[in-house]
Amino acid sequence: MFDKPAGHDQYLVKDEPYYELVGDEVALYEAAYSARMPMMLKGPTGCGKSRFVEYMVWKLKRPLITVACNEDMTASDLVGRFLLDKDGTKWQDGPLATSARIGAICYLDEVVEARQDTTVAIHPLTDHRRTLPLDKKGELIEAHPDFQLVISYNPGYQSMMKDLKQSTKQRFGAMDFDYPTEQTEVSIVSKESGVDADTAGKLVQIAHRARNLKGHGLDEGISTRLLVYAGQLISKGVNPEAACTMTMVTPLTDDPDMRDTLNAAVQTFFG
Amino acid sequence: MFDKPAGHDQYLVKDEPYYELVGDEVALYEAAYSARMPMMLKGPTGCGKSRFVEYMVWKLKRPLITVACNEDMTASDLVGRFLLDKDGTKWQDGPLATSARIGAICYLDEVVEARQDTTVAIHPLTDHRRTLPLDKKGELIEAHPDFQLVISYNPGYQSMMKDLKQSTKQRFGAMDFDYPTEQTEVSIVSKESGVDADTAGKLVQIAHRARNLKGHGLDEGISTRLLVYAGQLISKGVNPEAACTMTMVTPLTDDPDMRDTLNAAVQTFFG
Amino acid sequence: MFDKPAGHDQYLVKDEPYYELVGDEVALYEAAYSARMPMMLKGPTGCGKSRFVEYMVWKLKRPLITVACNEDMTASDLVGRFLLDKDGTKWQDGPLATSARIGAICYLDEVVEARQDTTVAIHPLTDHRRTLPLDKKGELIEAHPDFQLVISYNPGYQSMMKDLKQSTKQRFGAMDFDYPTEQTEVSIVSKESGVDADTAGKLVQIAHRARNLKGHGLDEGISTRLLVYAGQLISKGVNPEAACTMTMVTPLTDDPDMRDTLNAAVQTFFG
Amino acid sequence: MFDKPAGHDQYLVKDEPYYELVGDEVALYEAAYSARMPMMLKGPTGCGKSRFVEYMVWKLKRPLITVACNEDMTASDLVGRFLLDKDGTKWQDGPLATSARIGAICYLDEVVEARQDTTVAIHPLTDHRRTLPLDKKGELIEAHPDFQLVISYNPGYQSMMKDLKQSTKQRFGAMDFDYPTEQTEVSIVSKESGVDADTAGKLVQIAHRARNLKGHGLDEGISTRLLVYAGQLISKGVNPEAACTMTMVTPLTDDPDMRDTLNAAVQTFFG
Amino acid sequence: MFDKPAGHDQYLVKDEPYYELVGDEVALYEAAYSARMPMMLKGPTGCGKSRFVEYMVWKLKRPLITVACNEDMTASDLVGRFLLDKDGTKWQDGPLATSARIGAICYLDEVVEARQDTTVAIHPLTDHRRTLPLDKKGELIEAHPDFQLVISYNPGYQSMMKDLKQSTKQRFGAMDFDYPTEQTEVSIVSKESGVDADTAGKLVQIAHRARNLKGHGLDEGISTRLLVYAGQLISKGVNPEAACTMTMVTPLTDDPDMRDTLNAAVQTFFG
Amino acid sequence: MFDKPAGHDQYLVKDEPYYELVGDEVALYEAAYSARMPMMLKGPTGCGKSRFVEYMVWKLKRPLITVACNEDMTASDLVGRFLLDKDGTKWQDGPLATSARIGAICYLDEVVEARQDTTVAIHPLTDHRRTLPLDKKGELIEAHPDFQLVISYNPGYQSMMKDLKQSTKQRFGAMDFDYPTEQTEVSIVSKESGVDADTAGKLVQIAHRARNLKGHGLDEGISTRLLVYAGQLISKGVNPEAACTMTMVTPLTDDPDMRDTLNAAVQTFFG
């Protein structure tokens, strides 16, 4: 509905990402986007939050700029900075400023890793102002009408030390994500790894058992990604038991008891 | 009453911000401004402090420069710094120096986040001197007669680690802000989200119940902004229960009991 | 008695600052200055230390350079640094070096905020050497005969973490300051705010009650500045009770009991 | 299968590294590489993880870029940075960016030493995206089809303070490594140091005894490297007992009891 | 005995500093200097260590370079650094390098304040090597034959957190300093302040009483400097009691009991 | 056996350092060097580790580059960095890179002071790779065949906070050093200070008594260096008791009991 600004196209997701619908999440997100409501996607590691964002930006035909947050990230990393040029200093927009200018959906992945107060930089973009002040440059960006901010948040990491401030949280609508249903996950694993539905089903069963160990020795459940890894190795001719050990046991824990428990689950299905 | 300095106009608030009068706060602020008294606005997250400032600068026809404070902010971020230019270094005023020069109202949002001693930089602007020394540049700015400093302060965050020093506090007059009255909040939610007064009333009722949980499991009450979000989703055709969950439950807490309590409140009105 | 160096005049205090004599502090300071003894002014927030310094420099016809200290201040901020120029680097004196060169009185306000070891930089200026080594520039400034160093110090902030080292303290003569006497304070408030003596007297009475709460719920007493603020609002037509709340209650504390106590004191005189 | 990019050849391992096969690790790794699965190699210090990687890149004829991780490493050290040039700033790829461009196997050695959140930088290269965003340069590298990421991880160092995040771990397949079997280790020590099989066998026996002390006074077992050191000294004519003390006792511990125990083991075989 | 290098003369102490001999300290220091032994001067604040060094360099006709140490001091502050010039970078010697080149006595005052490991930089200058490696410049300075390193050390500050390492301590000969004897101190105070011997004697008596309070409420005794300050004020016509309060009570403590005790001592002699 | 690279000669030790043989340490070191085995020299402060290295490089006719490690040392300080030049940036090798290029013996003194992970930078130089990657420059240095790395390590400083990682320790052969035998030490003290054997013998006896106090009030024994200092002062005509106090008592401790004990030992021999 607006002229496309320069740089717009390079951030488009060209091919439809593979995404299995879980419930009404697409409709809810579309409503939120139509209000340009900042969104917070909550859920465990590897349950598909990032994939969902990619699917939505493809569906909405909007550019996507993703930032993997970390605690060394400064506000300048998000907003922009002056770089030294042969003619002196030259301003370079950061990913947040670029997103605001070109009307991209800006996705701050694992935002809880960022310094709590770095996130203050996003405040003026997430209320009625929809502006981004570039204090160092003396410019006030008014966000493009298509701009939206999306953040991801893993409640499992939530602690006294690292949590979003209430004044940040209250700027977002939020949606919960979880691992896909059994049927959906079997379909994903089969499609992405090339194994048949029976093998994929066994992998999902093992994952379910491992996910029940969350909080009982494992910090997190097994992500769908690891099941796909297992399937890929099996497709390459690796013995299923070895493939599961390599992808669903060894990466997760070094505790001998936990390993025994996980290996027993593997043997139940592939022994 | 003075010649407008360069840059003055770009900081004016052009359109009257939507603001519902609560009591005599406008008259009190006008008296404080006529004495150019530095002001501290106290109150919880999202209760309308920033909106009030925007309304007042619009009414007073003064430019507004807002700074979202954070703990990584240095005095240079406020006051200014030398930038490297092709001819060497060039001074660039920070937002506080610009405000002092052009006679803007400078609004330091969430000032308690700033390093306690960074706030020392504002001292000479908040007593009889009304000056800002640019030590690095060797210049002493005498504040424009229209200049005023305003800070916001959320008592809920107050702790031993982060509080203003008494020598800073005693430089400000102060006004308390709180969530709007029921009638006012219904009016705001209805007007800003497009839902009817009945739906807005239900949303406000839910918020009141949630606000009673402050200190009993919730760090903060629900801001008016979240009610507007809920109303916007309902206006877009989202089911009211889903809309409330997405805006008034999921963003606030991951505690299952608190979620049950909040969802029960939603169901009481939209179930 | 010496040729005035460049830059001397811009630091002069041109108009006699308003200052009410308390005791023999002017004579004592003049004796200390005639010996160029470094001076430490002790006393609570807002009791008039900075005003006294301005009065003395006006009386002594010496330039004044004030530095508001903070914990991020480096020795370079006081002493000077190299700046990048189009021809390379160029030295720029800091406020301490400028003071030493031009024979100013250098006033380090709230010196206890500065990093303890940053204050080591002032040592060679505060003993028989009266020199300031600019290590980075390879220059040794011999202080102008008129130079004197003055620091302020609020004993209320004194703690294990932030205190001056004995080797620093023992370089200064010291004078205690306190709030003005009742009569003096009434005169100050009336003169500076425009209220009559009766109203000023009531404000001072309220302040005395609040000052008795120091250590019993308030970290500091009420400064004269806040009384002047209250008077100014009353002069602008604000209701005295509201004016007192806005200036003498709300800025100081968020504790409900303390607020009740302070409001009761206000009502005793203006209720 | 692709055109070799510039710089490709300098990172090739030209000569076959000496590597004694332990089990099916080569086949498993080849399967993982054919799926370009990110790999995590787990095992104690000096058990041969780095040697295995060198062997595999030689076998796969891929370039290898190794980064020894440490806690002062920033994301820029991995990804790249702007350097000042006579014409201004010039971007320089870091080892991760170079690897992604030329299709190298990038080996992050002792990744657990890196700042936990620095490792976030590798996330987009380790999921379906296989991209590396150069935020500062505004470029998105799509990884060369041959690119693979490999990390090493010593479970013995695992602690609350230093461990990989689950969201990082779940991006990798993993293989366990341990010290070689007795027969293999004797063969390695003999070949690399020049001592005969009998002497090598004694050295391995001593190492086995020392490895049993892990957790009982020694933080780690003795690596094969130290056995080779001992053998090299013996080959140079050093008395075997002195050679063992110098390489297998003195470097490991200063505890007198532990030294006695280790020296007793040495004397059993060489006394 | 050597050609004087450039810069040598500006660091000479031209006039004989006032110094009252205490014992054989001058002879001992001369012997130490003739062996170019690094020296550590120990003693409380203000007991005359710095004055002694100035006296000795005057007597030995050697240049003196003094560095007031602080915990923000880096090795580069001592050794030197590259500065940006119009032709690129230019090396600038720090005070330690300059001292080593020109054969100065380098006096590191309050060395215990410096970062423990910064002091490592002085090691190669304080053993048989007598060299200073400028790693960044790739130069190895061989110390001028007249060079000597002297450090001061206040045992009262010694703590677990801040102490010299044994490997540093064992590089120095050491001499203890203490306050001067009564007779010497009377002579100093009288000579430096202009008061008669009787008044000086009373000031010294007060100081003796205060010094007995060290460890019983006062962190340090009263330095001779403060007695001279008191005498100077008395010479300027200030009432002796007020002069003593201003210099020997108010600067030292804010504890009411300690102040009473000190004031009682003042009144005993001047009441 | 190789062409001498540029810069080689300036790092040669020209004159034979004075070194008294203790046992077979020279032969052992020569064997280790002939295998280019990285070496760790362990022992207390001042027992002669650095002197031994100087002796060996003289004997082996290899250049020596010494780095005094400290906790502020970055990997760039060891490896190298880009410096700003008039034509942009210019790479400058650090001491480790220079050593690797020219085939020097690189001696990292007090390596335990360096940041634990800075030491990771030396890993690729201390295994079969013998390479040093200059990540920032994109160059991989293959170490000159003569290059060897030597580190010193004082077990007395070993603590949980500061110790080498096992993966670092296991890269080194190690040799223990201790104070010289009585006869050797008498010979050293006499030769280096000029006192006769009888006086030297007394000094050594005092040292032996003081060394027995290690762990019973003294952190370290007395180094041979301090005995030489004492002898030098006696040679200059200082009274032996005063000379011992100045060098063997005052520098070591401020504890009155320890001083009494040490002075008693002095008086036993020189009283």
Side-chain angles (χ1 to χ4, degrees), chain F:
Chain F
M1 72 191 76
F2 295 94
D3 280 355
K4 284 188 292 180
H8 179 280
D9 283 5
Q10 74 179 101
Y11 296 106
L12 290 174
V13 173
K14 275 127 211 154
D15 305 313
E16 175 173 0
Y18 172 69
Y19 181 76
E20 294 271 350
L21 200 67
V22 176
D24 55 354
E25 73 269 23
V26 170
L28 287 175
Y29 189 96
E30 284 179 329
Y33 180 73
S34 72
R36 300 299 184 265
M37 186 184 302
M39 285 301 293
M40 180 193 301
L41 310 186
K42 293 184 161 188
T45 294
C47 73
K49 300 185 294 293
S50 299
R51 186 72 67 101
F52 174 70
V53 174
E54 284 176 46
Y55 177 77
M56 289 310 305
V57 299
W58 171 84
K59 194 157 187 301
L60 294 166
K61 294 186 178 43
R62 293 282 166 271
L64 170 67
I65 295 183
T66 297
V67 182
C69 298
N70 64 71
E71 72 180 13
D72 300 316
M73 204 168 65
T74 65
S76 294
D77 291 329
L78 280 180
V79 168
R81 57 165 53 82
F82 280 102
L83 288 178
L84 198 61
D85 198 350
K86 68 178 169 179
D87 297 321
T89 49
K90 195 183 112 187
W91 177 262
Q92 188 181 48
D93 279 340
L96 195 61
T98 302
S99 302
R101 283 194 210 276
I102 71 172
I105 290 177
C106 184
Y107 178 47
L108 304 182
D109 193 14
E110 303 201 43
V111 75
V112 88
E113 296 296 330
R115 289 194 258 183
Q116 194 184 64
D117 296 297
T118 303
T119 56
V120 166
I122 64 180
H123 282 194
L125 275 172
T126 50
D127 54 29
H128 65 282
R129 290 174 285 176
R130 284 181 62 88
T131 55
L132 179 64
L134 309 180
D135 289 341
K136 290 182 181 154
K137 200 182 167 210
E139 180 187 348
L140 187 78
I141 301 180
E142 308 216 355
H144 187 282
D146 289 352
F147 170 78
Q148 185 199 25
L149 187 70
V150 184
I151 66 178
S152 76
Y153 181 88
N154 183 345
Y157 288 158
Q158 193 178 355
S159 71
M160 290 305 289
M161 291 305 294
K162 281 200 175 179
D163 195 5
L164 294 177
K165 299 194 302 174
Q166 277 291 337
S167 65
T168 302
K169 283 183 180 174
Q170 298 218 357
R171 291 164 180 280
F172 291 87
M175 289 165 65
D176 285 325
F177 284 77
D178 207 343
Y179 301 114
T181 62
E182 180 171 342
Q183 191 180 335
T184 305
E185 197 164 25
V186 168
S187 164
I188 294 172
V189 171
S190 174
K191 179 162 177 203
E192 297 224 343
S193 74
V195 296
D196 59 32
D198 177 60
T199 304
K202 288 177 178 173
L203 292 170
V204 170
Q205 288 301 318
I206 297 169
H208 282 197
R209 302 209 174 184
R211 285 169 190 162
N212 287 331
L213 296 169
K214 182 174 173 179
H216 304 282
L218 283 186
D219 293 334
E220 280 279 333
I222 286 180
S223 69
T224 307
R225 183 186 296 126
L226 292 179
L227 305 192
V228 173
Y229 280 178
Q232 286 174 332
L233 289 178
I234 294 168
S235 295
K236 302 276 179 192
V238 172
N239 170 290
E241 205 178 327
C244 290
T245 299
M246 194 162 154
T247 55
M248 295 163 74
V249 181
T250 310
L252 295 189
T253 179
D254 300 300
D255 179 77
D257 292 342
M258 285 310 302
R259 285 200 168 188
D260 286 351
T261 307
L262 290 169
N263 279 320
V266 171
Q267 289 209 313
T268 303
F269 293 95
F270 290 115

Side-chain angles (χ1 to χ4, degrees), chain A residues 1-255:
Chain A
M1 75 190 74
F2 295 93
D3 280 355
K4 284 189 292 181
H8 178 280
D9 283 6
Q10 73 177 101
Y11 295 107
L12 290 175
V13 174
K14 275 126 209 156
D15 305 313
E16 176 174 0
Y18 172 69
Y19 183 75
E20 294 271 351
L21 200 68
V22 175
D24 55 354
E25 73 270 22
V26 170
L28 286 176
Y29 189 95
E30 284 179 329
Y33 179 72
S34 71
R36 300 300 184 266
M37 186 183 300
M39 284 301 294
M40 181 194 299
L41 310 186
K42 291 183 162 189
T45 294
C47 72
K49 300 184 295 293
S50 299
R51 186 71 69 101
F52 174 69
V53 173
E54 284 176 45
Y55 178 76
M56 289 310 304
V57 299
W58 172 83
K59 196 159 187 299
L60 293 166
K61 293 182 178 45
R62 293 281 166 274
L64 170 67
I65 295 182
T66 297
V67 182
C69 297
N70 65 71
E71 70 180 15
D72 300 317
M73 206 168 65
T74 64
S76 294
D77 290 329
L78 281 181
V79 168
R81 58 165 51 83
F82 279 102
L83 289 178
L84 199 60
D85 198 350
K86 68 177 169 180
D87 298 321
T89 49
K90 195 182 113 186
W91 176 262
Q92 188 180 48
D93 280 340
L96 195 60
T98 302
S99 302
R101 284 195 209 276
I102 71 173
I105 290 176
C106 184
Y107 178 47
L108 305 182
D109 194 13
E110 303 201 41
V111 75
V112 87
E113 295 297 330
R115 289 194 258 184
Q116 194 184 64
D117 296 297
T118 304
T119 56
V120 166
I122 64 180
H123 281 194
L125 276 171
T126 50
D127 55 29
H128 65 281
R129 290 175 285 176
R130 283 180 63 87
T131 56
L132 179 65
L134 309 179
D135 289 343
K136 288 181 183 157
K137 200 183 166 209
E139 180 188 348
L140 187 80
I141 301 181
E142 307 215 358
H144 187 285
D146 288 352
F147 170 79
Q148 185 200 26
L149 188 71
V150 183
I151 64 179
S152 76
Y153 181 88
N154 183 344
Y157 287 159
Q158 193 176 357
S159 72
M160 288 307 287
M161 291 305 294
K162 281 199 174 179
D163 194 7
L164 293 176
K165 299 194 303 174
Q166 277 291 337
S167 65
T168 302
K169 283 182 180 176
Q170 299 218 355
R171 292 163 179 282
F172 291 87
M175 291 165 64
D176 284 326
F177 283 78
D178 207 344
Y179 301 114
T181 62
E182 179 171 342
Q183 192 180 335
T184 305
E185 196 164 27
V186 169
S187 165
I188 294 172
V189 171
S190 175
K191 178 161 178 205
E192 298 224 343
S193 73
V195 295
D196 59 31
D198 178 59
T199 303
K202 287 177 178 172
L203 292 170
V204 171
Q205 288 301 318
I206 297 168
H208 282 198
R209 300 207 177 186
R211 286 171 190 159
N212 287 331
L213 296 169
K214 182 174 172 178
H216 304 283
L218 283 186
D219 293 333
E220 280 280 332
I222 287 180
S223 69
T224 306
R225 181 186 298 126
L226 292 180
L227 305 191
V228 173
Y229 281 178
Q232 286 174 332
L233 289 178
I234 294 168
S235 295
K236 302 277 180 192
V238 173
N239 170 289
E241 206 179 325
C244 289
T245 298
M246 195 162 152
T247 56
M248 295 163 72
V249 181
T250 310
L252 295 189
T253 180
D254 300 301
D255 178 78

Side-chain angles (χ1 to χ4, degrees), chain E residues 171-219:
Chain E
R171 291 163 180 281
F172 291 87
M175 291 165 63
D176 285 325
F177 284 78
D178 207 342
Y179 301 115
T181 62
E182 179 170 343
Q183 192 181 335
T184 304
E185 197 164 26
V186 169
S187 164
I188 294 172
V189 172
S190 175
K191 177 161 178 207
E192 297 224 344
S193 73
V195 296
D196 58 32
D198 179 59
T199 303
K202 288 176 178 173
L203 292 171
V204 171
Q205 288 300 320
I206 298 169
H208 282 198
R209 301 207 174 185
R211 285 170 191 161
N212 286 332
L213 297 169
K214 182 173 173 179
H216 304 283
L218 284 187
D219 293 333

Side-chain angles (χ1 to χ4, degrees), chain E residues 99-150:
Chain E
S99 302
R101 283 194 210 277
I102 71 171
I105 290 176
C106 185
Y107 178 48
L108 304 182
D109 193 14
E110 303 201 42
V111 75
V112 87
E113 295 296 331
R115 289 195 257 184
Q116 196 184 62
D117 296 297
T118 304
T119 56
V120 166
I122 64 179
H123 282 193
L125 276 172
T126 50
D127 54 29
H128 66 281
R129 290 175 285 177
R130 283 181 63 88
T131 56
L132 180 64
L134 309 180
D135 288 342
K136 290 181 181 156
K137 200 184 167 208
E139 181 188 348
L140 186 79
I141 301 180
E142 308 216 355
H144 188 282
D146 289 352
F147 169 78
Q148 185 200 26
L149 188 70
V150 184

